[in-house]
Amino acid sequence: MDLHTDRPHPARVYNYLLGGDVYFDADRDAAEQGMKSNPHSRVPPRENRAFLRRAVRFLAAERGIDQFLDIGTGIPSPPNVHHVAQSVHPGARVVYVDHDPIVLAHAEGLLDGTGVTRFLKADLLEPRAILESPEVRETLDLDRPVGLLLIAVLHFAGDDQDPYALVAELLAALPPGSYLALSHLTGDFAPEAWAAVTEIYRRQGVTMRVRAKPEIARFFAGLELVEPGLQVLPHWHPETDEPPPPDGAVSVYGAVARKP
C-alpha cells in the first residue's frame, strides 16, 4: 500500500491541525507552513468537526434521517458520524468514503457500533463508482431519504473538475426528502492569507480552491435550505452561548438543505 508519505495529503494535514497523531513529516511541514501564512489554521478543522456533529444530530433527531453517506471522511476522530447518528437511531446506517489509503488503514475505528457501518475506498471525483459500489448498494436504501455529507472536501476540487456537477450527480441518485450537509473554505474574510495557504498546497501538488459565498451557495441550487441558511459554521445551530471565534478565523461556510 503506497501511502505517498513524501507529499502532504489533506486528510493527514487536517488530522495534524486537529491535534491528532496520524500524519507524516510532509503533512506536518505543510500544516506548519500554512500556519505561518494563516495563524488561525487550526480553527477551521475544529469548527468543521463541530458542524458535522451538529448537522448529523439535527438530521437524525429533527428530520428522522437514519442513513448517511459521508464522502471525504478523513482520519477517524470520535465521535464520528455513526456515533452521533446511532445515539438517536441505534440501527442507523453509515457508509464512509475516502480515497486516502491511510484512512483505509484506520477504517476499523469507524466500523464499531450497534447499527451498520461500512467503509469504501473511493474518490469524490468518481460519483458513479461510489453510488454503484456494493458498500453503498448493500448498506443504504436509496429509495429512502439519505443524509449526504460533504464536509470540508469540495475545496479540494478544482474548477476544471466541475465540483457542481459532482454534487448534482450524487444528489440525483438520492430520493426526495434527502439532505445535503456541506461545508467549504472561503477567502471572503482573509483573502491574502488563504491565497498564501493555497499556494503552499499547490507547490506540494495538492489542489485547493477556496470559494466566495455565492460560489458555495451554488452547491445548494434547487434545494430547500434549512434555517438559518448558509452561514459561517459557528452560526449554524450553535449549541453553546459562548462567543464564537471571529468569522475571519473560521473562514468556512456551511449549510444543510433538503432535496424536494
Side-chain angles (χ1 to χ4, degrees):
M1 181 184 295
D2 186 357
L3 299 181
H4 301 295
T5 61
D6 59 331
R7 60 179 184 267
H9 187 282
R12 300 192 299 256
V13 174
Y14 191 86
N15 185 258
Y16 176 84
L17 292 171
L18 280 172
D21 57 6
V22 183
Y23 58 85
F24 298 101
D25 289 348
D27 308 304
R28 181 198 61 223
D29 293 346
E32 294 289 347
Q33 290 179 50
M35 284 190 287
K36 289 178 182 178
S37 299
N38 179 6
H40 300 299
S41 292
R42 289 189 184 274
V43 177
R46 185 184 68 211
E47 294 299 331
N48 264 306
R49 292 299 296 180
F51 170 73
L52 170 64
R53 292 160 186 160
R54 294 198 308 275
V56 171
R57 188 175 298 111
F58 170 85
L59 290 175
E62 302 296 329
R63 299 300 169 94
I65 300 298
D66 62 359
Q67 46 181 2
F68 294 86
L69 178 58
D70 180 9
I71 301 178
T73 298
I75 309 297
S77 179
N80 292 294
V81 171
H82 68 283
H83 296 129
V84 178
Q86 291 168 8
S87 71
V88 180
H89 302 291
R93 295 169 173 261
V94 179
V95 176
Y96 294 102
V97 181
D98 205 291
H99 72 284
D100 182 11
I102 200 169
V103 178
L104 176 62
H106 287 78
E108 286 187 5
L110 293 168
L111 304 182
D112 60 344
T114 57
V116 177
T117 56
R118 300 284 296 275
F119 180 83
L120 169 64
K121 185 178 183 295
D123 197 315
L124 169 67
L125 301 180
E126 299 178 350
R128 183 176 297 276
I130 294 172
L131 294 166
E132 295 181 352
S133 68
E135 289 83 356
V136 168
R137 291 291 177 177
E138 295 171 5
T139 307
L140 305 181
D141 179 355
L142 298 185
D143 292 325
R144 298 176 51 245
V146 174
L148 173 61
L149 310 175
L150 297 173
I151 305 299
V153 64
L154 285 164
H155 43 251
F156 295 112
D159 293 338
D160 60 326
Q161 295 165 317
D162 199 352
Y164 301 104
L166 297 175
V167 175
E169 184 171 354
L170 290 165
L171 286 169
L174 305 182
S178 294
Y179 285 82
L180 169 65
L182 181 151
S183 67
H184 195 298
L185 277 170
T186 184
D188 285 357
F189 305 102
E192 293 183 0
W194 283 106
V197 172
T198 297
E199 175 60 19
I200 290 168
Y201 273 91
R202 187 196 66 78
R203 291 200 301 265
Q204 300 285 349
V206 178
T207 297
M208 175 182 276
R209 170 70 161 85
V210 298
R211 294 181 169 93
K213 187 175 185 179
E215 295 176 292
I216 299 169
R218 283 183 57 196
F219 288 112
F220 297 95
L223 305 180
E224 301 169 349
L225 283 167
V226 171
E227 292 294 336
L230 185 60
Q231 299 286 332
V232 177
L233 296 187
H235 304 295
W236 193 89
H237 290 244
E239 294 178 339
T240 175
D241 293 330
E242 294 182 8
D247 288 354
V250 179
S251 289
V252 185
Y253 288 113
V256 173
R258 180 181 182 274
K259 178 179 177 178

